[in-house]
Amino acid sequence: MKVFEIIDKLGKNQRAELCEYAYLVANIDSKAMEYAREKAVAVRKKIYGNTVFVRGLIEISNICRNDCFYCGIRRSNKDCQRYRLTEEEILECCDEGERLGFKTFVLQGGEDGYFSDEFLCGIIRKIKKKHKDCAVTLSLGERSRQSYATLKEAGADRYLLRHETADKEHYEKLHPAEMSFENRMKSLKILKGLGYQTGCGFMVGSPYQTPETIAKDLKFIEEFSPDMCGIGPFIPHKNTPFADKQAGTLDMTCYLLSIIRLIKPNILLPATTALGTIHPNGRELGILAGANVVMPNLSPVSVRKKYELYDNKICTGEESAECKICLENRMKKVGYEIVTSRGDIRKDEENGNI
Ligand code: SAH
């Protein structure tokens, strides 16, 4: 069967043709999923064993200048109660994270004009000073080259910027005309060039996505070689133009996690909150498909519900400590162990010959 051949080839060469990627996606079935999953898990085990890295996610603001059609915190959503954490609150979240044993803090938010370089640099420096061996990851959207450079200089280690889709026409169906595919892609290249550990990613099952657009995403991952890749199912949000669109599926997300693991054996691949939202065991199944990162929420409980990118987001009621224990137990149940190391990407030279 051709699907198996392509998966074998991926396992061997870590690459495939665009039409082969599209074929894999178009011909997903339970046997293909199982085959990709087994290979992906074997590859991941060889490099990362049964360890899962944790990243403490701090949602620092839901104020956003952008109007992405899929996103619940888009500027046109007038029903969204806006908030922005103070510097003190952000630092408190990190202190709590440290108590819980986290060594990576992810500051994520909308494109909030209040976050000047000066403000962010101050926070980054304070976090790095107080939590000596931790990593700071930023996920604050598109900024200028100068800004990315300044934030790096202040101590930021990693940057997550999902490319959302590697197909320009598709990108334009997901975003208003004022947003640019070229700038998104350019930003990712700048981040990588500046020495950030860089993460891209996309939503699975976003409106107008096709096997061909996913093939381009996979090709992009193959060629760009990101350190991290965030993928999760698209889930509609009631106050967006995509309110009536269908959500992405658990199966396709897990299948793509396996495929991405085969393309980039070392990649840091989270089992996302969105995956946990569409299925009660989504995150466990993501890990069992080849993911190796989980991102428990460290945001103050008072703002959790307000950072609603999509409907029915999980983990909005629990304290951070509960979230951590819950995830730890979930991972244990499926034979994996959360570790508290910084969890940097393992480079090829550390793996011997894989
Ligand atoms: N402003 C930052 C952070 C965005 S939120 C940035 O631009 O990078 C992080 C990610 O959530 C987005 O990149 C998007 O892929 C995802 N997301 C947004 N709305 C979603 C939805 N309705 N369903 C699933 N994922 C969504």
Side-chain angles (χ1 to χ4, degrees), residues 43-269:
V43 164
R44 196 268 323 273
K45 274 235 149 94
K46 223 169 167 176
I47 301 168
Y48 294 108
N50 67 341
T51 56
V52 174
F53 299 123
V54 266
R55 319 301 193 193
L57 181 64
I58 308 171
E59 297 153 336
I60 64 175
S61 167
N62 69 356
I63 298 169
C64 192
R65 76 174 113 242
N66 288 332
D67 220 12
C68 308
F69 299 146
Y70 45 84
C71 185
I73 64 168
R74 66 199 300 266
R75 67 160 188 266
S76 297
N77 181 5
K78 301 288 179 248
D79 281 345
C80 176
Q81 255 190 321
R82 305 287 169 172
Y83 75 90
R84 175 189 297 131
L85 298 186
T86 62
E87 174 176 303
E88 208 185 0
E89 287 171 317
I90 297 171
L91 295 174
E92 272 169 20
C93 290
C94 295
D95 290 347
E96 172 68 359
E98 162 134 347
R99 282 194 288 275
L100 296 173
F102 297 172
K103 294 235 164 10
T104 295
F105 304 116
V106 182
L107 309 189
Q108 187 178 84
E111 291 194 18
D112 181 345
Y114 184 82
F115 291 136
S116 62
D117 292 347
E118 202 188 345
F119 178 80
L120 290 171
C121 285
I123 293 179
I124 295 165
R125 284 200 196 93
K126 283 182 190 144
I127 297 176
K128 296 290 281 195
K129 197 167 164 207
K130 214 164 167 199
H131 310 285
K132 287 262 172 340
D133 51 351
C134 80
V136 171
T137 305
L138 301 177
S139 179
L140 299 169
E142 293 168 38
R143 304 177 69 91
S144 66
R145 172 193 293 272
Q146 184 54 54
S147 171
Y148 288 146
T150 307
L151 299 172
K152 181 91 191 22
E153 192 75 12
D157 304 279
R158 307 175 181 149
Y159 206 104
L160 300 175
L161 185 73
R162 289 192 177 179
H163 63 286
E164 310 297 357
T165 169
D167 180 280
K168 181 175 157 66
E169 271 173 40
H170 184 212
Y171 186 93
E172 288 168 359
K173 290 181 184 158
L174 300 178
H175 302 94
E178 77 235 17
M179 292 180 71
S180 134
F181 173 71
E182 285 77 15
N183 198 56
R184 194 84 180 166
M185 289 306 205
K186 193 178 119 199
S187 302
L188 274 166
K189 281 168 194 144
I190 291 172
L191 288 164
K192 197 166 187 216
L194 287 169
Y196 278 97
Q197 292 176 43
T198 305
C200 65
F202 60 95
M203 292 175 291
V204 177
S206 61
Y208 313 108
Q209 188 176 60
T210 64
E212 286 69 34
T213 66
I214 297 180
K216 286 191 183 175
D217 292 319
L218 296 173
K219 198 50 152 180
F220 174 65
I221 291 164
E222 181 196 298
E223 290 174 348
F224 182 64
S225 218
D227 300 292
M228 313 168 274
C229 181
I231 70 162
F234 159 74
I235 304 173
H237 184 289
K238 57 185 179 309
N239 298 326
T240 64
F242 290 165
D244 297 326
K245 303 284 186 195
Q246 280 213 331
T249 65
L250 172 77
D251 282 355
M252 185 58 87
T253 307
C254 288
Y255 186 50
L256 289 172
L257 284 170
S258 301
I259 292 172
I260 294 169
R261 172 65 59 202
L262 291 174
I263 301 173
K264 293 288 163 199
N266 299 351
I267 201 166
L268 295 163
L269 202 53

